[in-house]
Coordinates of all heavy atoms in Angstrom, one line a residue:
A9 N 138.1 124.7 123.6 CA 137.5 123.3 123.9 C 136.6 122.9 122.7 O 135.7 123.6 122.4 CB 136.7 123.3 125.2
G10 N 136.9 121.8 122.0 CA 136.1 121.3 121.0 C 136.6 121.6 119.6 O 136.9 122.7 119.2
A11 N 136.7 120.5 118.8 CA 137.2 120.6 117.4 C 136.0 120.3 116.5 O 136.2 119.6 115.4 CB 138.4 119.7 117.1
G12 N 134.8 120.7 116.8 CA 133.7 120.7 115.9 C 133.9 121.8 114.9 O 135.0 122.5 114.9
I13 N 132.9 122.1 114.1 CA 133.1 123.2 113.0 C 133.3 124.5 113.7 O 134.2 125.3 113.3 CB 131.9 123.2 112.1 CG1 131.7 121.8 111.4 CG2 132.0 124.3 111.1 CD1 132.8 121.4 110.5
A14 N 132.6 124.8 114.8 CA 132.8 126.1 115.5 C 134.2 126.2 116.1 O 134.9 127.3 115.9 CB 131.7 126.3 116.6
G15 N 134.7 125.2 116.7 CA 136.0 125.2 117.4 C 137.1 125.4 116.3 O 138.1 126.1 116.4
F32 N 141.5 121.6 122.2 CA 141.5 120.3 122.9 C 140.1 119.6 122.6 O 139.1 120.2 122.8 CB 141.5 120.7 124.4 CG 142.8 121.3 124.8 CD1 142.9 122.7 124.8 CD2 143.9 120.6 125.2 CE1 144.1 123.3 125.1 CE2 145.1 121.2 125.5 CZ 145.2 122.6 125.4
E33 N 140.2 118.5 122.1 CA 139.0 117.7 121.6 C 139.0 116.4 122.3 O 139.9 115.6 122.3 CB 139.1 117.6 120.0 CG 138.2 116.6 119.4 CD 136.7 116.8 119.7 OE1 136.3 118.0 119.5 OE2 136.0 115.9 120.1
R34 N 137.8 116.1 122.8 CA 137.6 114.8 123.5 C 137.7 113.6 122.6 O 138.1 112.5 123.1 CB 136.3 114.8 124.3 CG 135.1 114.6 123.5 CD 133.8 115.2 124.1 NE 133.3 114.5 125.2 CZ 132.4 113.5 125.1 NH1 131.9 113.2 124.0 NH2 132.0 112.9 126.2
H35 N 137.2 113.7 121.4 CA 137.2 112.6 120.4 C 138.6 112.4 119.8 O 139.5 113.2 120.0 CB 136.1 112.9 119.4 CG 135.6 111.7 118.6 ND1 135.9 110.4 119.0 CD2 134.8 111.6 117.5 CE1 135.3 109.6 118.1 NE2 134.6 110.3 117.2
G39 N 135.4 117.5 113.7 CA 134.1 117.6 113.1 C 132.9 117.6 114.1 O 131.8 118.1 113.7
G40 N 133.0 116.9 115.2 CA 131.9 116.9 116.1 C 130.7 116.2 115.5 O 130.8 115.1 115.0
L41 N 129.6 116.9 115.5 CA 128.3 116.4 114.9 C 128.5 116.2 113.4 O 127.7 115.5 112.7 CB 127.1 117.3 115.2 CG 126.6 117.2 116.7 CD1 125.7 118.3 116.9 CD2 126.0 115.9 116.9
C42 N 129.3 117.0 112.8 CA 129.6 116.9 111.3 C 130.5 115.8 111.1 O 131.7 116.0 111.0 CB 130.1 118.3 110.8 SG 130.3 118.3 109.1
G54 N 126.9 111.2 108.5 CA 126.0 111.5 109.6 C 125.5 113.0 109.6 O 124.9 113.4 110.6
C55 N 125.8 113.7 108.5 CA 125.5 115.1 108.5 C 125.6 115.6 107.1 O 125.7 114.8 106.1 CB 126.5 115.9 109.4 SG 126.3 117.7 109.5
L56 N 125.5 116.9 106.8 CA 125.8 117.5 105.5 C 124.9 117.1 104.4 O 125.3 117.0 103.3 CB 127.3 117.3 105.1 CG 128.2 118.2 105.8 CD1 129.6 118.2 105.0 CD2 127.8 119.7 105.8
N57 N 123.7 116.8 104.8 CA 122.7 116.6 103.7 C 122.6 117.8 102.8 O 122.5 117.8 101.6 CB 121.3 116.4 104.4 CG 120.3 115.9 103.5 OD1 120.6 115.5 102.4 ND2 119.0 116.1 103.9
W58 N 122.7 119.0 103.5 CA 122.8 120.2 102.7 C 123.7 121.3 103.3 O 123.7 121.4 104.6 CB 121.4 120.8 102.5 CG 120.6 121.0 103.7 CD1 120.3 120.1 104.7 CD2 120.0 122.3 104.1 NE1 119.5 120.7 105.7 CE2 119.3 122.0 105.4 CE3 119.9 123.5 103.6 CZ2 118.6 123.0 106.1 CZ3 119.2 124.5 104.3 CH2 118.6 124.2 105.5
A246 N 141.5 114.6 124.3 CA 141.9 115.5 125.4 C 140.6 116.2 125.9 O 140.4 117.4 125.7 CB 142.9 116.5 124.8
P247 N 139.7 115.5 126.6 CA 138.5 116.2 127.1 C 138.8 117.2 128.2 O 139.6 116.9 129.1 CB 137.7 115.0 127.7 CG 138.6 113.8 127.8 CD 139.8 114.1 127.0
V248 N 138.2 118.4 128.0 CA 138.4 119.4 129.0 C 137.4 119.1 130.2 O 136.2 118.9 129.9 CB 138.0 120.8 128.4 CG1 138.0 121.9 129.5 CG2 139.0 121.2 127.3
A277 N 133.9 125.8 122.6 CA 133.1 125.5 121.4 C 132.5 124.0 121.6 O 132.2 123.3 120.6 CB 133.9 125.6 120.1
A278 N 132.5 123.6 122.8 CA 131.9 122.3 123.2 C 130.5 122.5 123.6 O 129.9 123.6 123.5 CB 132.8 121.7 124.3
D279 N 129.9 121.4 124.1 CA 128.5 121.4 124.5 C 128.2 122.6 125.5 O 129.0 122.8 126.5 CB 128.1 120.1 125.1 CG 126.8 120.1 125.8 OD1 125.8 120.3 125.1 OD2 126.7 120.0 127.0
M287 N 132.0 122.3 133.4 CA 133.4 122.8 133.4 C 133.5 124.1 134.2 O 134.6 124.4 134.7 CB 133.7 123.2 131.9 CG 133.8 122.0 131.0 SD 134.2 122.6 129.3 CE 133.4 121.4 128.3
L310 N 118.2 111.8 117.6 CA 117.8 110.9 116.5 C 118.2 109.5 116.7 O 119.2 109.2 117.3 CB 118.4 111.4 115.2 CG 118.1 112.8 114.7 CD1 119.0 113.1 113.5 CD2 116.7 112.9 114.3
H312 N 119.2 106.8 114.1 CA 119.8 106.9 112.7 C 120.1 105.5 112.2 O 121.0 104.9 112.7 CB 121.0 107.8 112.9 CG 121.8 108.2 111.7 ND1 122.5 107.3 111.0 CD2 121.9 109.4 111.1 CE1 123.1 108.0 110.0 NE2 122.7 109.2 110.0
L368 N 116.0 108.3 109.4 CA 116.1 109.0 110.7 C 114.8 109.1 111.4 O 113.8 109.4 110.7 CB 116.7 110.5 110.5 CG 117.9 110.7 109.6 CD1 118.3 112.1 109.5 CD2 119.1 109.9 110.1
W423 N 125.3 109.7 119.9 CA 125.7 111.1 119.7 C 126.2 111.8 121.0 O 127.3 112.5 121.0 CB 124.6 112.0 119.1 CG 124.7 112.0 117.6 CD1 125.5 112.8 116.9 CD2 124.0 111.2 116.7 NE1 125.4 112.6 115.6 CE2 124.5 111.6 115.4 CE3 123.1 110.2 116.7 CZ2 124.1 111.0 114.2 CZ3 122.7 109.6 115.5 CH2 123.1 110.0 114.3
Y426 N 129.8 110.4 121.6 CA 130.9 110.8 120.7 C 131.1 112.3 120.7 O 132.2 112.8 120.4 CB 130.6 110.3 119.3 CG 131.0 108.9 119.2 CD1 130.0 107.9 119.0 CD2 132.3 108.4 119.2 CE1 130.3 106.5 118.9 CE2 132.7 107.1 119.1 CZ 131.7 106.2 119.0 OH 132.0 104.8 118.9
T427 N 130.0 113.1 121.0 CA 130.2 114.6 120.8 C 129.9 115.3 122.1 O 130.1 116.5 122.2 CB 129.2 115.1 119.8 OG1 127.9 115.0 120.2 CG2 129.4 114.4 118.4
G428 N 129.4 114.6 123.1 CA 129.1 115.3 124.4 C 127.9 116.2 124.3 O 127.6 116.9 125.3
N429 N 127.1 116.2 123.2 CA 126.0 117.1 123.1 C 124.8 116.7 124.1 O 124.4 115.6 124.2 CB 125.4 117.2 121.7 CG 126.2 118.3 120.9 OD1 126.0 119.4 121.2 ND2 127.1 117.9 120.0
M434 N 120.6 116.9 118.1 CA 121.3 116.9 116.8 C 121.8 118.3 116.4 O 122.7 118.5 115.5 CB 120.5 116.3 115.7 CG 119.2 117.2 115.4 SD 118.4 116.7 113.9 CE 119.4 117.5 112.6
E435 N 121.2 119.4 116.9 CA 121.5 120.7 116.4 C 121.3 121.8 117.5 O 121.2 123.0 117.1 CB 120.6 120.9 115.2 CG 121.3 121.7 114.1 CD 120.6 121.7 112.7 OE1 120.3 120.6 112.3 OE2 120.4 122.7 112.2
G463 N 129.5 128.3 118.7 CA 128.9 127.0 118.3 C 127.4 127.0 118.5 O 126.8 128.0 118.9
Q464 N 126.8 125.8 118.3 CA 125.3 125.7 118.2 C 124.6 126.0 119.5 O 123.4 126.3 119.5 CB 124.9 124.4 117.7 CG 125.3 123.2 118.6 CD 124.8 121.9 118.0 OE1 124.5 121.8 116.8 NE2 124.8 120.8 118.8
G470 N 121.3 126.3 115.1 CA 122.5 125.4 114.8 C 122.8 125.3 113.3 O 122.4 126.2 112.5
G471 N 123.4 124.2 113.0 CA 123.8 124.0 111.6 C 125.3 124.3 111.4 O 125.9 125.0 112.1
V472 N 125.8 123.7 110.3 CA 127.2 123.7 110.0 C 127.7 125.2 109.7 O 128.7 125.7 110.2 CB 127.6 122.7 108.9 CG1 129.0 122.9 108.4 CG2 127.4 121.3 109.4
P473 N 126.9 125.9 108.8 CA 127.4 127.3 108.5 C 127.3 128.2 109.7 O 128.2 129.0 109.9 CB 126.4 127.7 107.4 CG 125.3 126.7 107.3 CD 125.8 125.5 108.0
A475 N 127.7 127.3 112.8 CA 128.8 127.0 113.6 C 130.1 127.7 113.1 O 130.9 128.3 113.9 CB 129.0 125.5 113.7
Ligands
LIG1 C1 122.2 113.6 111.7 C2 122.5 115.0 111.6 C3 122.4 115.7 110.4 C4 122.7 117.0 110.2 N1 122.6 117.6 109.0 C5 123.0 118.9 108.8 C6 123.0 119.4 107.5 O1 122.6 118.8 106.5 N2 123.4 120.8 107.4 C7 123.7 121.5 108.5 O2 124.1 122.7 108.3 N3 123.8 121.0 109.7 C8 123.4 119.7 109.9 N4 123.4 119.1 111.2 C9 123.8 120.0 112.3 C10 125.3 120.2 112.4 O3 126.0 119.1 112.3 C11 125.6 120.9 113.8 O4 124.7 121.9 114.1 C12 127.0 121.5 113.8 O5 127.9 120.6 113.2 C13 127.4 121.9 115.2 O6 128.7 122.3 115.3 P1 129.4 122.8 116.6 O7 130.9 123.0 116.4 O8 128.6 124.0 117.1 O9 129.2 121.6 117.7 P2 129.6 120.1 117.7 O10 129.6 119.5 116.4 O11 128.8 119.5 118.8 O12 131.2 120.2 118.2 C14 131.5 120.3 119.6 C15 132.9 119.5 119.7 O13 133.3 119.6 121.1 C16 133.8 118.4 121.5 N5 133.6 118.3 122.9 C17 132.5 118.2 123.7 N6 132.8 118.2 125.0 C18 134.1 118.4 125.1 C19 135.1 118.5 126.2 N7 134.6 118.4 127.4 N8 136.4 118.7 125.9 C20 136.8 118.7 124.6 N9 136.0 118.6 123.5 C21 134.7 118.5 123.8 C22 132.9 117.4 120.8 O14 133.5 116.1 120.7 C23 132.8 118.0 119.4 O15 133.8 117.7 118.5 C24 123.2 117.8 111.3 C25 123.3 117.1 112.6 C26 123.0 115.8 112.7 C27 123.3 115.1 114.0

Side-chain angles (χ1 to χ4, degrees):
I13 300 299
F32 298 88
E33 165 58 48
R34 73 205 286 269
H35 198 12
L41 287 166
C42 186
C55 178
L56 280 193
N57 189 19
W58 55 303
V248 173
D279 171 64
M287 297 179 206
L310 299 173
H312 184 286
L368 309 181
W423 263 280
Y426 283 107
T427 69
N429 270 290
M434 65 166 284
E435 216 165 309
Q464 63 178 18
V472 170

